[in-house]
Amino acid sequence: MVVISVQKYNEITEFIKNYRGLMIDCDKELQTAFPEYSATVLSSILSREVQKRLKATYYPIQAQSARLFQQYEKQIAEDPQNDSVLLDMAVKVRFSPVGLARLLLAEMFKGSRTKNEVSNMVKNPYLIPDAALGANVRKCLFNDNYDGPISDFIRRFMGEEYEIRLKQMAKDAGLVFNDEGDLRRTGYDKTPDLKLAIPCLYRGTPIHWIESKALFGDAANHEKYVREQLSCYRNRFGAGIVIYWMGYVDSVADTDASMIFVRDSFPEANELTLLKVC
């Protein structure tokens, strides 16, 4: 069971906030600093912190794009073979390497290439006509596991993988359910991963839906999901369960009183009471 106290969670996030270097290296050092937690749990917390930092610093960094691109051009003119200029610059300004590469590509091709063309250059740096810049963007791409096309693919893959696991566990438990596809075909707009066709009892409460989240549930994260998704499911269908497969901070479990039960795994057989249909 991965339920982290607020105090320990704050220690982990402070470690991340104070880290000076690439997040791919921070990932490894987190595992050394907090060996009591698995690499997947720590990586999920780190991913969330990186996304928060990117959101907070994006516009200030974007405002410096012209100056940063001039700085890049000056350094690359001094050493044309240096493929770490952008990577080192990203560490210095404490921004995502891929995010910085994207901003500087947009600056370089301002007015001459579309946003989609620039986006394709980030996904495939071999499309970049400038060889030195292409080499720098490639190095950013392969040293950034929390932003960019590679991390987007990993997050999407993990989300789909855990949804498949959830469905299999629900079937094994004997639950009868409709998935998102079934619900959308019948006209629902906001849909949980599983809507139970026949409710079951969990802690004495009838459960009508189960939602899968392939990430760590921190307080802000969970509050957003409750506001934008989970409360809609509760109001429409009744009580339900949200599973944060990478664990959660203990303070979010207080929402049990609102009929949204928080877990880090699928309920055990002895925790569920199924309705017997004769």
Side-chain angles (χ1 to χ4, degrees), residues 144-179:
D144 193 340
N145 54 347
Y146 291 105
D147 186 28
I150 295 175
S151 61
D152 289 344
F153 173 80
I154 292 171
R155 279 195 292 269
R156 185 166 62 251
F157 177 81
M158 285 184 63
E160 292 173 357
E161 178 187 353
Y162 278 95
E163 284 182 27
I164 293 169
R165 289 190 189 187
L166 173 61
K167 290 177 186 178
Q168 188 58 55
M169 291 175 177
K171 287 178 183 177
D172 293 343
L175 300 179
V176 181
F177 59 85
N178 294 311
D179 62 18

Side-chain angles (χ1 to χ4, degrees), residues 64-79 85-86 88-90 92-93 100 104 107:
Q64 301 176 56
S65 292
R67 181 184 64 79
L68 291 172
F69 184 64
Q70 289 175 358
Q71 182 180 329
Y72 162 79
E73 286 188 310
K74 180 182 178 182
Q75 289 184 245
I76 209 69
E78 295 171 354
D79 184 2
V85 175
L86 284 186
D88 294 342
M89 192 181 294
K92 186 176 181 179
V93 299
L100 183 62
L104 296 199
E107 182 66 29

Side-chain angles (χ1 to χ4, degrees), residues 70-227:
Q70 289 175 358
Q71 182 180 329
Y72 162 79
E73 286 188 310
K74 180 182 178 182
Q75 289 184 245
I76 209 69
E78 295 171 354
D79 184 2
Q81 302 304 313
N82 188 350
D83 64 355
S84 297
V85 175
L86 284 186
L87 199 61
D88 294 342
M89 192 181 294
V91 171
K92 186 176 181 179
V93 299
R94 304 198 72 203
F95 196 63
S96 148
V98 170
L100 183 62
R102 187 182 291 111
L103 288 174
L104 296 199
L105 278 169
E107 182 66 29
M108 180 178 187
F109 296 106
K110 185 188 298 182
S112 63
R113 299 294 176 92
T114 66
K115 188 175 180 180
N116 283 339
E117 286 176 319
V118 170
S119 180
N120 286 334
M121 288 181 191
V122 175
K123 295 174 184 176
N124 183 4
Y126 289 100
L127 296 174
I128 300 171
D130 184 292
L133 184 56
N136 271 267
V137 173
R138 283 196 298 275
K139 193 148 191 179
C140 288
L141 192 63
F142 297 132
N143 285 277
D144 193 340
N145 54 347
Y146 291 105
D147 186 28
I150 295 175
S151 61
D152 289 344
F153 173 80
I154 292 171
R155 279 195 292 269
R156 185 166 62 251
F157 177 81
M158 285 184 63
E160 292 173 357
E161 178 187 353
Y162 278 95
E163 284 182 27
I164 293 169
R165 289 190 189 187
L166 173 61
K167 290 177 186 178
Q168 188 58 55
M169 291 175 177
K171 287 178 183 177
D172 293 343
L175 300 179
V176 181
F177 59 85
N178 294 311
D179 62 18
E180 284 182 288
D182 299 326
L183 293 170
R184 290 191 185 281
R185 282 190 291 272
T186 57
Y188 286 102
D189 50 353
K190 290 185 179 292
T191 58
D193 291 315
L194 301 185
K195 165 67 174 67
L196 302 189
I198 303 173
C200 66
L201 288 182
Y202 172 72
R203 299 183 185 175
T205 300
I207 293 298
H208 298 268
W209 53 269
I210 305 176
E211 180 75 4
S212 170
K213 299 293 183 189
L215 43 75
F216 183 85
D218 63 60
N221 203 341
H222 181 66
E223 182 182 345
K224 181 174 182 288
Y225 285 133
V226 169
R227 184 175 64 253

Side-chain angles (χ1 to χ4, degrees), residues 13 39 44 52-53 57 62 73 82-83 101 109 111 119 139 168 172 181 183 195 212 217 249 251-252 255 265 269 274:
T13 56
S44 186
K52 284 161 63 176
R53 181 186 297 175
T57 59
Q62 184 188 44
E73 286 188 310
N82 188 350
D83 64 355
F109 296 106
S119 180
K139 193 148 191 179
Q168 188 58 55
D172 293 343
L183 293 170
K195 165 67 174 67
S212 170
V249 65
S251 61
V252 308
T255 54
S265 61
L274 276 59

Side-chain angles (χ1 to χ4, degrees), residues 221-235:
N221 203 341
H222 181 66
E223 182 182 345
K224 181 174 182 288
Y225 285 133
V226 169
R227 184 175 64 253
E228 297 180 359
Q229 289 183 311
L230 307 180
S231 62
C232 298
Y233 305 156
R234 178 198 59 203
N235 296 340

Side-chain angles (χ1 to χ4, degrees), residues 28-49:
K28 298 172 186 175
E29 294 193 30
L30 271 174
Q31 295 169 40
T32 301
F34 302 95
E36 63 270 38
Y37 302 113
S38 71
T40 53
V41 170
L42 294 171
S43 292
S44 186
I45 296 174
L46 177 56
S47 177
R48 170 66 176 160
E49 288 301 304

